[in-house]
Amino acid sequence: MRIVVAVFLVVVSIALFVSLQCTAKATSQSQASVAASPYLIERVANNDWLLIDVRSPEEFADGHIPGAVNMPHDNINDYLSELEGHKDKPIIIYCRSGRRAKLAMKVLEDLDFSEVMHLEGDMLGWSAAGMTVDRM
């Protein structure tokens, strides 16, 4: 009877460990985010990070984060050649409220871009925090 209980506990422990590892991996990939801050602008200005605004060109022209490049989410595949050099570098993506950013992030993650992150609060949060906005 003790052997059965011991085997059962080992199996449950292994299953729990595997489950936690899968959950941690999924969480780190799908929920990695960066806070709105002057540090973000500094890293983008130094070309350490790539900041992508996935809103429409009209929205981008109305106001965007300094240093951001516009790559609309529905055309993100058209920019893959430009993004190839950033495959292993931090890429921060934002839109107005988050929906389009998550769609673009999924595309890049599926193409093995290793450091794709989401800007916390997106453009609405950036503006609400009183951060600098460039207009065209």
Side-chain angles (χ1 to χ4, degrees):
M1 183 67 171
R2 287 183 181 175
I3 294 174
V4 172
V5 171
V7 169
F8 176 75
L9 289 175
V10 168
V11 169
V12 168
S13 297
I14 291 171
L16 181 60
F17 177 77
V18 169
S19 174
L20 289 173
Q21 292 299 315
C22 291
T23 302
K25 183 176 180 182
T27 300
S28 69
Q29 285 185 351
S30 64
Q31 296 184 2
S33 63
V34 174
S37 69
Y39 179 71
L40 169 69
I41 294 175
E42 178 184 327
R43 297 295 302 260
V44 170
N46 291 335
N47 293 318
D48 297 327
W49 294 354
L50 177 62
L51 181 62
I52 302 174
D53 183 325
V54 295
R55 299 175 300 153
S56 71
E58 296 79 20
E59 290 172 291
F60 184 80
D62 285 342
H64 58 273
I65 299 171
V69 294
N70 187 222
M71 297 180 181
H73 81 286
D74 52 352
N75 297 330
I76 198 76
N77 286 318
D78 296 343
Y79 298 95
L80 294 179
S81 62
E82 295 174 43
L83 294 172
E84 196 61 36
H86 295 276
K87 203 145 189 151
D88 295 319
K89 296 179 183 177
I91 297 174
I92 295 86
I93 298 181
Y94 74 94
C95 63
R96 187 182 76 81
S97 63
R99 185 187 66 79
R100 292 174 283 181
K102 289 178 183 168
L103 292 171
M105 288 177 68
K106 174 83 170 99
V107 170
L108 296 181
E109 288 169 351
D110 288 349
L111 293 169
D112 295 324
F113 282 81
S114 63
E115 294 188 61
V116 180
M117 295 174 273
H118 183 232
L119 177 65
E120 292 176 13
D122 293 280
M123 193 64 194
L124 292 176
W126 185 269
S127 296
M131 303 297 289
T132 303
V133 175
D134 283 350
R135 289 179 169 62
M136 297 177 92

